[in-house]
């Protein structure tokens, strides 16, 4: 069974390890995944503190996270929250972890009076796109050939889910 909770500072090492295991060029940027200095970066930062993350646990292990934050600092945009990162441990995939994280993110967003959740996903990441669509996310735009990764141009798909106030 998957349990989702707010991240804590003590989760940093587990989340950094999960990030390292989960990201690939299908879901992330090689230039970020493999830092130039070869040293792994810390997971939390001033822009991405623990309180911006929900973590999924199964069998007392962290198996996934979602980072949820405002897409801009503008007051006019504060009714929107953005999934600015989501990852699931490869060993825990296809067990409902991503869905549990996204449903918890919706509850978290509603509690903050958000009306919409947005995200961006590579067009090459079909497994993620299927999960998002199954949970009610719709494509709002496509930035064609936005990135060049591993010798191929990759679309950046903008997706969103409008949140009804009544849940």
């Amino acid at each position: 069974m998957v349990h989702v909770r707010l991240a804590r500072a003590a989760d940093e090492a587990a989340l950094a390890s999960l990030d390292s295991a989960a990201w690939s060029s299908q879901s992330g940027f090689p230039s970020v995944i493999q830092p130039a200095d070869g040293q792994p970066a810390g997971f939390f930062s001033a822009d991405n503190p623990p309180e911006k993350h929900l973590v999924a646990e199964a069998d007392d292990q962290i198996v996934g996270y979602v980072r949820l934050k405002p897409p801009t600092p503008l007051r006019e945009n504060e009714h929107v929250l953005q999934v600015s990162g989501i990852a699931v441990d490869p060993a825990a995939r296809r067990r409902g972890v991503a869905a549990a994280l996204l449903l918890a993110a919706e509850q978290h967003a509603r509690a903050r009076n958000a009306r919409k959740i947005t995200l961006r996903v590579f067009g090459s990441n079909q497994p993620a796109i299927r999960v998002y669509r199954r949970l009610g996310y719709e494509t709002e735009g496509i930035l064609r050939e936005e990135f060049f990764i591993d010798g191929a141009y990759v679309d950046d798909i903008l997706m969103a889910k409008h949140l009804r106030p009544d849940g």
Side-chain angles (χ1 to χ4, degrees):
M1 181 153 153
V2 177
H3 168 72
V4 179
R5 63 168 173 80
L6 278 172
R8 301 183 284 257
D11 297 329
E12 185 163 33
L15 288 167
S17 178
L18 183 148
D19 231 19
S20 177
W23 290 104
S24 70
S25 59
Q26 181 186 32
S27 60
F29 298 102
S31 61
V32 175
I33 295 167
Q34 302 158 353
D37 63 6
Q39 296 298 313
F43 186 81
F44 296 125
S45 67
D47 289 339
N48 297 304
E51 59 269 16
K52 301 288 185 192
H53 299 80
L54 300 174
V55 297
E57 293 179 316
D59 301 322
D60 296 320
Q61 299 290 318
I62 292 176
V63 294
Y65 75 85
V66 62
R67 181 179 301 123
L68 194 63
K69 55 196 249 184
T72 73
L74 302 170
R75 269 193 339 264
E76 294 83 357
N77 192 219
E78 66 187 12
H79 64 285
V80 178
L81 286 178
Q82 182 177 51
V83 171
S84 65
I86 184 168
V88 175
D89 186 313
R93 291 185 181 156
R94 304 194 58 81
R95 293 183 14 209
V97 175
L101 284 164
L102 290 164
L103 292 171
E106 286 179 33
Q107 291 177 334
H108 185 80
R110 280 189 182 94
R112 281 146 190 77
N113 297 315
R115 295 177 47 91
K116 179 179 176 180
I117 295 179
T118 64
L119 59 84
R120 297 171 73 159
V121 60
F122 291 159
S124 58
N125 194 348
Q126 289 301 310
I129 292 168
R130 282 191 295 274
V131 170
Y132 300 143
R133 285 194 177 131
R134 185 169 39 90
L135 293 175
Y137 286 78
E138 297 177 342
T139 299
E140 291 198 328
I142 300 174
L143 303 175
R144 305 257 181 234
E145 299 183 354
E146 186 72 2
F147 302 108
F148 188 73
I149 300 172
D150 289 344
Y153 289 98
V154 179
D155 294 345
D156 190 13
I157 300 176
L158 312 176
M159 298 183 82
K161 182 172 184 177
H162 292 264
L163 304 174
R164 294 186 321 229
D166 57 0

